[in-house]
Amino acid sequence: MSWKNLKTFAIVVLIIMNIFFGIEVNRQYKRAHYYSESEIASVRALMSESGIYIEESYLRAKKVSLPVYKREYKDGATKEAVREVFGSAEADDGKYVAKTASGTYCFFGDGGFEYRREGETEMPRQVIDSSRARQIFILDEYTEKLEAAMKKAMPIEKINSLLQNRKAEKTDAKLYRLFVTDDGCYAAMFLQYIGGVQSSNAFYMLTDASGNIVSGEGNFSLLLPDEKLKADCTDLLTVLFDEKRWADEYFSAQQQKDPAAKKIQLTLSMLYYSYDAYRSADGTEFYVPVINLVYSDGTVNSYNLTDGMKK
């Protein structure tokens, strides 16, 4: 064989090897990050036997594995963060008080805070729990206006740009629930987001009819998690097998209450991931990944993904 033909043959062999290698890499990637057709079909059939219908899209989506986030609070770090964001921070019986032109903030050691405009005493949760507030379920019309008002009271961009947060995951906050009173005041619940995922840090803002923040309360972390810990997250299929056991018990109890009742089917209407925020006794804050399953009857089942335990 001539040298020219030998080179051509070698090139063809290398191309063929690369093609097969690429196919194998793609196959391994899909196996690691997606469920197979047989797994999807088997799981849907098993869940259907227990009265739960699951759309294929939930199982065809890429597998999710979220990290655990961590933040160690050093002495004086919270006080410094409050001072940088709000202009002052005076220690007062275990909390830090910041007086601004618009009102007074109090930040507590457990991550909680309160805000009151000068002369105001009514808090958002008081309004929500009162008989004069009614819930609004379609939020689209109000989201932009209320989130803009919220960010004046809780300046997200300034918090993200803190020197202490330069290596941390970025945060945001989004409207989650909304209540309105007859005189046009809004009591809004917001969730803090960490790394683009909603967390259990919830806070409330009360606005007057003109859209000005009157008061606020809840939990919001000024110091963001700056350490990412790899977690061996519980697989979605494992969670669904636990849900199958729950469904068997759930429908059995329903049947015992009313033997003549026709067995109903629940549909998995939403599946989403979030973080539960925990603060240990030494001040270290952890964000632990959670999977949440919402069914057509309003039932919500949640699992801690680090240990697979149902909450």
Side-chain angles (χ1 to χ4, degrees):
M1 183 180 291
S2 69
W3 173 243
K4 182 178 180 180
N5 289 338
L6 188 61
K7 283 201 303 182
T8 302
F9 176 76
I11 290 170
V12 170
V13 170
L14 285 173
I15 290 172
I16 293 172
M17 288 177 63
N18 283 335
I19 290 172
F20 279 106
F21 179 72
I23 291 171
E24 182 59 26
V25 168
N26 184 59
R27 186 183 292 120
Q28 294 291 343
Y29 178 84
K30 284 187 174 181
R31 189 178 296 129
H33 295 90
Y34 294 90
Y35 297 115
S36 67
E37 292 296 325
S38 60
E39 286 174 321
I40 292 171
S42 297
V43 169
R44 293 184 75 224
L46 285 170
M47 298 302 287
S48 183
E49 288 175 5
S50 296
I52 294 180
Y53 173 76
I54 301 178
E55 288 279 359
E56 285 187 15
S57 57
Y58 292 118
L59 295 168
R60 291 192 183 282
K62 186 177 180 181
K63 296 178 185 178
V64 174
S65 182
L66 296 174
V68 172
Y69 289 119
K70 176 183 175 184
R71 176 80 193 215
E72 292 185 2
Y73 279 65
K74 298 177 181 178
D75 290 343
T78 300
K79 181 179 181 180
E80 181 63 18
V82 172
R83 187 191 65 77
E84 288 187 31
V85 175
F86 300 101
S88 65
E90 299 297 327
D92 180 13
D93 193 25
K95 61 181 180 292
Y96 297 109
V97 179
K99 294 186 177 181
T100 69
S102 59
T104 301
Y105 293 84
C106 294
F107 283 87
F108 305 94
D110 61 357
F113 82 95
E114 288 182 356
Y115 166 78
R116 285 181 171 85
R117 193 169 68 181
E118 201 64 38
E120 299 290 346
T121 57
E122 192 170 45
M123 301 301 285
R125 279 182 279 199
Q126 286 179 284
V127 173
I128 291 171
D129 293 338
S130 72
S131 58
R132 63 191 182 93
R134 67 181 189 279
Q135 188 168 0
I136 296 174
F137 293 96
I138 308 299
L139 304 181
D140 296 353
E141 178 184 344
Y142 308 91
T143 299
E144 184 176 352
K145 178 182 177 181
L146 289 172
E147 287 185 357
M150 174 271 296
K151 288 177 181 178
K152 289 180 181 178
M154 190 63 71
I156 303 292
E157 288 186 13
K158 189 179 285 189
I159 293 166
N160 279 325
S161 62
L162 283 173
L163 187 62
Q164 300 101 306
N165 289 335
R166 68 187 184 279
K167 295 182 180 179
E169 291 295 318
K170 299 308 177 189
T171 192
D172 199 358
K174 296 182 182 180
L175 182 63
Y176 185 68
R177 286 187 183 143
L178 181 61
F179 299 81
V180 63
T181 64
D182 292 336
D183 55 355
C185 294
Y186 292 101
M189 176 184 176
F190 298 89
L191 294 180
Q192 184 176 12
Y193 279 62
I194 299 294
V197 179
Q198 74 178 52
S199 78
S200 60
N201 281 344
F203 62 102
Y204 304 79
M205 292 289 183
L206 179 63
T207 71
D208 59 23
S210 300
N212 302 307
I213 300 293
V214 171
S215 60
E217 61 183 330
N219 287 77
F220 191 95
S221 294
L222 296 178
L223 295 174
L224 307 174
D226 55 4
E227 190 173 349
K228 185 186 291 188
L229 308 175
K230 184 174 175 57
D232 186 13
C233 286
T234 302
D235 186 74
L236 173 58
L237 297 190
T238 302
V239 170
L240 291 177
F241 289 140
D242 278 350
E243 287 294 273
K244 176 178 169 61
R245 285 191 287 271
W246 164 79
D248 290 338
E249 294 172 3
Y250 176 82
F251 286 118
S252 176
Q254 296 293 321
Q255 199 70 27
Q256 288 177 11
K257 287 181 183 178
D258 186 1
K262 184 179 178 181
K263 185 177 179 180
I264 62 171
Q265 185 180 61
L266 292 180
T267 297
L268 181 63
S269 54
M270 185 184 299
L271 185 156
Y272 68 96
Y273 296 86
S274 61
Y275 278 109
D276 275 358
Y278 299 97
R279 188 169 292 200
S280 61
D282 64 359
T284 303
E285 193 167 44
F286 293 93
Y287 291 84
V288 178
V290 173
I291 186 171
N292 307 276
L293 302 100
V294 184
Y295 293 99
S296 50
D297 69 341
T299 299
V300 181
N301 291 333
S302 300
Y303 292 80
N304 181 322
L305 285 177
T306 60
D307 58 15
M309 298 298 293
K310 189 174 183 179
K311 293 173 59 183

